[in-house]
Amino acid sequence: MTETPSLPAMPPSFEQLGLPAELLATLAEVGYETPSPIQAACIPHLLAGRDLLGEAQTGTGKTAAFALPILARLDLSSLRPQALVLTPTRELALQVAEAFGKYAHHLRDFHVLPIYGGQSMVIQLRQLARGAQVIVGTPGRVMDHIERGSLKLDGLATLVLDEGDEMLRMGFIDDVEWILEHTPENRQTALFSATMPTAIREVARRHLREPEEIHIRAATSTVAKIRQCHWLVRGVDKLDALTRILDAEERLDAAIVFVRTKIGTEELADKLAARGYAAAALNGNMTQGLRERTIEQLKNGALDIVVATDVAARGIDVPRISHVINYDIPYDTEAYIHRIGRTGRAGREGVAILFVAPRERRMLKTIERAIRQPIEAIALPSREDVSTLRISQFKQKVLDTLANPDAAPSFFVDVIDEIIEENDLDPREIAAALAYLVQAERPLRIGEENPQPEPVSMARRYDRPPREEIFTTGAPRERAPRPGREEILTRRGAFTDSKLQRYRIALGRDHGITPKEIVGALANEGGIEGRFIGQIDLFDDFSTIELPASLSADLLAALGRILVRYRPLGIRPLDKNETLPARRFQASGPRRDERPSGKPRTRPAGHQGHESARSFSPRSEHPGTSAGKKHAKAWGKHPKKK
Ligand code: ADP
Ligand code: MG
């Protein structure tokens, strides 16, 4: 086992690692001066043909650690696949393939081929037939091609598993093992992972031969270049806090803001855009093309802020990301480490800020333990600080504009002259009016921001296009045909003045269902508006819901067939004699957050948000409370504080 000493006094040079001249030339061109610790530790073993198990955090230069020795050992006179790299996502497959292309700049007749799901099969088959020495792919698609015989691996010399822990998390481990079993036994295997859960160790034990083990401690990785801090959410709502940070952080170039849900990315990106930031969402509902364009825009400066989910942002390598904001705290420490690794790229410095709600303090402690260092607490910049900063930026912008010879042609001077003459005005008044207009989106005096628009009503909310989020967490599924408008109106008419009654739904907390999904499914696919839905209570393996008593048997059967999380809702009236187990979390009035004694359940994987721990009523029961406001609260959003 090789323990890399913390900060070796003299790192070896790439020459000393034994890389060939063509690769050394490229490395000089791309500006890599010295190997990173993982590269220094891995390259000699991989060049010698050894198997390898590498644990190193993200951003430590793992790609070159395996790509360079693979390139050094290829037989370029043959187009048979000689190396296969498996990555958990298509983004990573593309990124790794791109890196191979970059490092192989001076190698003639080199071909690398990324293959991943979602790409046209016809094109892939043609490309595979043409041949490539290196294949980079996601497990599912690679399996497809092995089974079809379109990917022949009998000449495979090296297999790399990149981001092993992520493969595990995404459920690819069986696929990976299947692939390992379908490649020549005498191949060289390298497994890289940011963390080493037991299941990954097991894969290594079964499929690696006397591997060299490399562990790179956080202190020697680029993570050391990331300043990590946290803000305890208190007094100010998170959106307000975020904009203050975005405004006041010096040296902020680009930021990636992490939230937990796909819908959350869009909501937050919209709000930031409405406040004048160049922000966009990045999530798994977006097409591959759109995601790539978004990342490209972040790279080239058309965007400054990307609001992303963990999965969508995985592995993104955009050197100008100076800040990572953990707007929603991550579910686990691995996710945290992957998130902050989006900054501090390529030797730059980075800042990671974690928002911690009071009840999330335990997670903060867990993360601190995992990274073996404290995450310092910070105070928010005050409104005055932000105002002062915005004013000085505004003044600078005016001066810059005056200094720009193209910016104030006589045309504008003429227009201003006309305003002065026609209205007998002081130029200062006009200037003030123009200043007001210019700053409207981002007011110079904080506290005067336009009030947040009312949250959209339930019906609108669930009319938004990327609805998959609400219903499923996994692969897309067949959508039941939506009822026609006529049908919806008839249904509605049928129970406008009907009393509510309790029904039983065949899905409960054990299925990972949330009240939001139930309401969403009934609204979208059943045509039942939120105002006809009463209280929802979740139990372990079923739920209850209040719906109009007058639902016809037909409609009930149709509603029961609606799929949520791949399962039919199976609605039926609740039998009067049916006894219900005590709810784990009581929800009534102001005591809503009170928890019963005993341990709270751990959240099932993929569970988003925390609303299922309570019961909900999407109906507006209190006159004077707008339905929208009530929902905003129930769904855990942050109503603006006055
Ligand atoms: P990981 O896979 O460990 O997350 P990457 O391979 O994506 O890390 O590398 C992170 C960044 O560091 C990339 O931008 C890469 O170009 C850069 N990089 C890799 N090796 C070196 C090096 N030896 N010197 C300078 N930059 C490097
Ligand atoms: Mg990587």
Side-chain angles (χ1 to χ4, degrees), residues 495 497-505 522 528 531-537 543-553 556 559 571-578 580 616 619:
F495 48 70
D497 45 23
S498 144
K499 287 212 324 260
L500 292 187
Q501 173 192 327
R502 281 240 256 186
Y503 292 79
R504 183 187 190 278
I505 291 181
L522 291 176
I528 298 201
R531 67 193 163 100
F532 295 122
I533 303 174
Q535 176 158 316
I536 299 174
D537 287 321
S543 315
T544 61
I545 182 168
E546 287 176 349
L547 290 172
S550 61
L551 291 185
S552 70
L556 211 54
L559 294 178
I571 300 187
R572 65 164 172 77
L574 192 72
D575 200 321
K576 288 218 171 49
N577 307 323
E578 233 168 315
L580 296 175
F616 278 95
R619 292 185 120 200

Side-chain angles (χ1 to χ4, degrees), residues 140-370:
R141 193 50 78 95
V142 166
M143 277 175 81
D144 273 4
H145 283 293
I146 294 177
E147 273 184 324
R148 281 170 182 249
S150 41
L151 178 58
K152 294 199 187 63
L153 295 176
D154 38 325
L156 193 79
T158 306
L159 194 151
V160 176
L161 301 179
D162 196 11
E163 308 251 0
D165 53 354
E166 187 59 14
M167 298 261 200
L168 177 69
R169 205 196 321 246
M170 294 178 70
F172 290 149
I173 281 301
D174 292 342
D175 294 3
V176 166
E177 296 216 64
W178 185 95
I179 293 168
L180 282 161
E181 279 152 18
H182 285 76
T183 52
E185 255 182 45
N186 62 357
R187 57 155 211 268
Q188 173 187 39
T189 315
L191 196 169
F192 291 94
S193 194
T195 56
M196 279 293 159
T198 327
I200 293 296
R201 290 209 157 273
E202 258 315 286
V203 173
R205 195 186 58 74
R206 277 200 294 273
H207 300 278
L208 271 54
R209 285 166 311 171
E210 297 169 31
E212 196 64 41
E213 290 197 23
I214 313 279
H215 301 269
I216 300 297
R217 288 268 160 78
T220 65
S221 75
T222 41
V223 173
K225 295 220 180 71
I226 301 172
R227 182 179 158 220
Q228 299 177 57
C229 31
H230 79 269
W231 171 63
L232 202 56
V233 180
R234 198 186 277 156
V236 179
D237 88 357
K238 289 209 281 188
L239 178 62
D240 197 3
L242 175 62
T243 58
R244 284 198 215 173
I245 287 170
L246 293 175
D247 283 346
E249 272 290 296
E250 285 170 42
R251 294 204 268 173
L252 188 139
D253 191 355
I256 183 154
V257 179
F258 282 97
V259 299
R260 278 185 176 172
T261 66
K262 295 180 212 168
I263 281 189
T265 62
E266 278 157 18
E267 286 178 350
L268 187 56
D270 286 351
K271 285 178 185 161
L272 290 173
R275 282 166 167 73
Y277 299 94
L282 183 72
N283 66 47
N285 281 354
M286 293 158 59
T287 62
Q288 172 72 5
L290 190 55
R291 270 185 285 172
E292 276 161 28
R293 223 170 310 136
T294 305
I295 294 171
E296 195 44 48
Q297 287 177 326
L298 188 65
K299 270 188 188 155
N300 67 28
L303 283 175
D304 292 329
I305 297 160
V306 160
V307 185
T309 52
D310 287 301
V311 173
R314 172 62 52 137
I316 287 180
D317 181 24
V318 178
R320 69 179 280 262
I321 295 177
S322 58
H323 284 65
V324 167
I325 318 275
N326 293 282
Y327 190 84
D328 293 336
I329 202 163
Y331 286 119
D332 52 34
T333 55
E334 281 92 351
Y336 176 80
I337 289 166
H338 280 290
R339 283 178 175 192
I340 68 166
R342 298 310 105 223
T343 183
R345 306 298 287 179
R348 299 191 193 195
E349 286 176 6
V351 177
I353 301 174
L354 177 66
F355 285 8
V356 183
R359 65 189 157 74
E360 293 163 345
R361 264 184 257 188
R362 185 185 299 202
M363 191 63 202
L364 171 67
K365 289 277 163 274
T366 311
I367 294 172
E368 287 180 324
R369 226 174 300 126

Side-chain angles (χ1 to χ4, degrees), residues 65-190:
F66 60 77
L68 293 171
I70 286 176
L71 288 170
R73 282 157 46 98
L74 288 179
D75 171 7
L76 293 170
S77 67
S78 159
L79 274 175
R80 286 206 305 179
Q82 296 158 44
L84 170 65
V85 181
L86 295 175
T87 65
T89 66
R90 344 183 226 195
E91 280 79 9
L92 279 175
L94 285 166
Q95 228 173 69
V96 169
E98 202 177 286
F100 267 99
K102 182 167 81 177
Y103 301 138
H105 186 69
H106 290 290
L107 299 181
R108 295 189 54 180
D109 300 321
F110 169 73
H111 296 274
V112 57
L113 184 59
I115 55 175
Y116 46 84
Q119 196 192 24
S120 146
M121 208 50 170
V122 179
I123 294 177
Q124 269 175 16
L125 289 172
R126 203 181 306 142
Q127 289 172 328
L128 280 166
R130 245 184 262 139
Q133 292 96 356
V134 175
I135 309 288
V136 186
T138 49
R141 193 50 78 95
V142 166
M143 277 175 81
D144 273 4
H145 283 293
I146 294 177
E147 273 184 324
R148 281 170 182 249
S150 41
L151 178 58
K152 294 199 187 63
L153 295 176
D154 38 325
L156 193 79
T158 306
L159 194 151
V160 176
L161 301 179
D162 196 11
E163 308 251 0
D165 53 354
E166 187 59 14
M167 298 261 200
L168 177 69
R169 205 196 321 246
M170 294 178 70
F172 290 149
I173 281 301
D174 292 342
D175 294 3
V176 166
E177 296 216 64
W178 185 95
I179 293 168
L180 282 161
E181 279 152 18
H182 285 76
T183 52
E185 255 182 45
N186 62 357
R187 57 155 211 268
Q188 173 187 39
T189 315

Side-chain angles (χ1 to χ4, degrees), residues 14 32 35-40 42-43 56-69 103 162 192 216 221-222 317 344-347:
F14 281 113
Y32 291 4
S36 70
I38 186 111
Q39 291 161 3
C42 292
I43 290 174
Q57 287 178 357
T58 161
T60 50
K62 290 189 285 286
T63 317
F66 60 77
L68 293 171
Y103 301 138
D162 196 11
F192 291 94
I216 300 297
S221 75
T222 41
D317 181 24
R345 306 298 287 179

Side-chain angles (χ1 to χ4, degrees), residues 383 387 443 445-449 642:
R383 284 172 190 242
S387 286
R445 271 196 303 185
I446 318 282
E448 300 197 343
E449 252 130 326
K642 274 271 111 134

